[in-house]
Amino acid sequence: MIKLISFTICPFVQRIAALLEGAGVPYETTFIQLSDKPQWFLDISPHGQVPLLITEDETILFESDAIADYVADTYLTTASPEARALEKAWASLAVKNYLVQCSTMSSKNQSSFETHHEKLRAAFEKMEQALRTNQTTAKTDISLLSSAWLVLLHRADIIQRKTCFDMLENLPLLQDWQRKLLTQEWTEKSVPPDFEERFSHFYLAEERYLIHGQEDCDQAPKKPLSCCE
């Protein structure tokens, strides 16, 4: 059976798990702590990062782009070369902004938050424009495109529910795609059951700007997990 080496809240891992789940591929996940990487992991990982995918014939694959291509080429319906190239290109826009979103969420002051969020917002606006002009389509079946963007949209949903800060404000096509992707069964299975708890514990800790930076907003909560109820 395929083995996926994972860290609980890693966006690059969620992308691969979503592809495997959506394609109906049996696999087992081993979680590690990045702050205390086991030696067996360091022995097989060229750069000591997750995800790693160990295929059924024990081939060790690394780098999420390479792993995603392998899963798509092996288990998903092959698109035309042009369609696959466009799908990979728009998926790449999402993946390039995983760490930008992480930096936005983990910012401890307004300056850092605004700098990172401006970059993230630019990517969201590019995808909104692409959807509006039919440069690509908001797929809800599993694909390189939907799995890549799910990661950003899933995290944006948690932040919106927990803090009232909407990363997709005034982007109706992305908001609609977000709602549709979050209802997919493979979305729920792309993360462990305690994902939201662990995600909130890290990104909505007291020192994060997201928690304290919107105090002028009537809807914004003052505590990490109070949400908008």
Side-chain angles (χ1 to χ4, degrees):
M1 180 180 291
I2 287 176
K3 299 178 178 65
L4 178 64
I5 313 302
S6 172
F7 173 64
T8 308
I9 61 173
C10 174
F12 299 93
V13 170
Q14 184 182 6
R15 174 196 186 192
I16 303 305
L19 277 170
L20 292 169
E21 290 288 350
V25 181
Y27 70 102
E28 60 183 38
T29 303
T30 298
F31 293 99
I32 65 169
Q33 292 296 325
L34 297 186
S35 60
D36 185 22
K37 299 172 184 176
Q39 189 58 49
W40 63 262
F41 171 75
L42 295 174
D43 289 342
I44 65 173
S45 175
H47 51 25
Q49 297 176 351
V50 293
L52 282 186
L53 191 78
I54 305 176
T55 68
E56 291 182 345
D57 65 1
E58 301 298 318
T59 300
I60 298 170
L61 304 179
F62 62 102
E63 290 291 350
S64 66
D65 282 342
I67 297 172
D69 285 349
Y70 166 79
V71 174
D73 291 343
T74 306
Y75 300 105
L76 298 181
T77 301
T78 302
S80 69
E82 293 85 358
R84 177 59 64 87
L86 281 173
E87 187 174 273
K88 291 175 67 173
W90 285 110
S92 177
L93 177 63
V95 176
K96 288 178 180 177
N97 281 277
Y98 286 177
L99 295 184
V100 179
Q101 188 181 51
C102 289
S103 296
T104 301
M105 297 183 298
S106 59
S107 293
K108 295 182 179 180
N109 58 67
Q110 182 176 358
S111 176
S112 175
F113 178 84
E114 290 179 349
T115 297
H116 294 301
H117 180 252
E118 183 179 356
K119 295 178 181 178
L120 179 62
R121 180 72 184 188
F124 284 147
E125 290 175 351
K126 287 179 182 178
M127 178 51 78
E128 179 79 8
Q129 178 67 13
L131 295 175
R132 181 176 293 111
T133 57
N134 296 317
Q135 297 175 52
T136 188
T137 56
K139 293 184 176 182
T140 54
D141 56 330
I142 192 63
S143 67
L144 288 173
L145 181 69
S146 58
S147 59
W149 279 90
L150 163 69
V151 175
L152 294 178
L153 301 179
H154 184 199
R155 284 158 169 73
D157 171 70
I158 297 174
I159 292 300
Q160 195 279 327
R161 288 189 286 107
K162 299 292 188 181
T163 73
C164 294
F165 181 79
D166 189 0
M167 294 179 173
L168 307 182
E169 185 178 9
N170 298 323
L171 300 176
L173 297 180
L174 266 184
Q175 290 173 333
D176 182 63
W177 193 20
Q178 178 191 54
R179 285 190 293 269
K180 291 176 179 177
L181 285 178
L182 292 177
T183 66
Q184 303 303 310
E185 184 177 2
W186 50 266
T187 293
E188 180 181 358
K189 293 181 177 180
S190 69
V191 292
D194 62 347
F195 172 80
E196 191 163 320
E197 177 184 356
R198 290 177 177 269
F199 176 92
S200 299
H201 178 75
F202 185 81
Y203 287 112
L204 298 177
E206 284 288 341
E207 69 270 19
R208 305 303 188 196
Y209 178 77
L210 269 170
I211 299 304
H212 302 288
Q214 300 185 78
E215 294 182 354
D216 292 334
C217 173
D218 291 338
Q219 292 183 329
K222 304 301 188 292
K223 296 298 181 181
L225 302 181
S226 59
C227 199
C228 305
E229 297 176 357

